[in-house]
Amino acid sequence: AKMPAFAVRALGEVGKVSVTAAYFPFFTPDRYDVFGQDNALLQPGLPMSAPRRLDRSVEEGLQSRLLETQHPSQFGTLGDFGLRLVTPAGKAKVGASWVWANEKLPRVTLDPELSAALSANAHGRDLGTATALSLQNRFAAGEQLFTGSYGRLHLLSAEASALVGPSQLDVDLSYSPAQTFVNEDLEPVSKAA
C-alpha cells in the first residue's frame, strides 16, 4: 500500500552542488496482512485461531497489538532525516544521499521457551507437559514473552544520470550497514544490505 507522509523539505545550492534536506516527523509503520492472505502473519498452521472474516478497519488496529511492545512517538523527536547532494559531472549528474530512519516493520524477538513451543508445533512435535504448563503460567502471570520494537537504520545511496543519445540512463545504488531481516527461526537478524 502507498501511504502518504507529511514532510518538511529544504532546497538550496552551494556552488554547483544542489542540496535537498527532508524531515519526516510522523512515524507511520508499514501495513501488513494479519490473516486471510498468502503472505499474512497468522497462517492456518499456527497454534492460534483467527476469525475468518475481519473488516480492514479492525485488522488495521490489530497490527500494532500483535507485534509491537514499543512504538516510536507519533510525533517523534527523532523522526526520519534525509540529505541529498547532486552536482553536474561533465554531461552527467552525480549525487549522494543519506537517510536516518526508523524501520517500518517491528523487530520481534521471542522468548526462547515460546520460540521452542512454536517451532515444536510447526514441526508436529510434542511440546511436553512441563513446557506447556510453564508457558501457561507465564501467560497467566502477564509476563511479556516477546518484544517488538522499531530499530533505526542508516541508508547510504549514490546516483548518476546521463543522456545517452535520445535516452536517459539512471543508476541508483543504496547500502545499509545494518537492516533487520528474519532468519528461518523467525528471529530478527541485523545484516548489511
Side-chain angles (χ1 to χ4, degrees):
K2 300 289 185 186
M3 301 176 68
F6 172 81
V8 178
R9 182 177 67 168
L11 304 172
E13 291 189 4
V14 178
K16 292 184 176 183
V17 179
S18 173
V19 180
T20 304
Y23 173 59
F24 290 82
F26 298 106
F27 174 77
T28 306
D30 282 357
R31 286 188 54 178
Y32 54 84
D33 290 308
V34 176
F35 51 81
Q37 303 293 331
D38 287 344
N39 60 345
L41 174 71
L42 301 182
Q43 294 293 328
L46 282 178
M48 57 183 78
S49 59
R52 291 187 181 180
R53 292 179 181 264
L54 196 67
D55 187 80
R56 277 279 185 194
S57 60
V58 178
E59 183 176 338
E60 204 167 305
L62 276 177
Q63 294 187 58
S64 59
R65 290 161 180 80
L66 280 174
L67 294 180
E68 291 178 6
T69 57
Q70 183 180 4
H71 189 91
S73 168
Q74 183 60 30
F75 189 78
T77 52
L78 290 176
D80 295 347
F81 293 100
L83 182 65
R84 178 177 179 238
L85 308 173
V86 178
T87 187
K91 294 183 178 180
K93 282 186 178 179
V94 295
S97 61
W98 164 71
V99 173
W100 188 46
N102 280 99
E103 293 183 310
K104 303 304 185 252
L105 286 173
R107 182 184 299 169
V108 180
T109 305
L110 296 178
D111 175 87
E113 195 172 48
L114 177 60
S115 179
L118 292 174
S119 176
N121 183 74
H123 293 95
R125 295 191 310 261
D126 182 30
L127 177 57
T129 308
T131 303
L133 185 59
S134 172
L135 281 172
Q136 184 179 0
N137 289 337
R138 293 173 70 195
F139 272 120
E143 189 175 332
Q144 185 68 52
L145 298 179
F146 74 94
T147 59
S149 59
Y150 296 87
R152 290 190 70 83
L153 61 79
H154 293 277
L155 187 64
L156 308 167
S157 301
E159 63 182 87
S161 178
L163 289 175
V164 180
S167 302
Q168 178 171 317
L169 176 66
D170 292 317
V171 176
D172 298 283
L173 299 170
S174 293
Y175 170 75
S176 177
Q179 184 174 344
T180 302
F181 295 93
V182 177
N183 67 14
E184 64 276 1
D185 295 321
L186 299 180
E187 296 171 343
V189 178
S190 186
K191 291 185 176 182

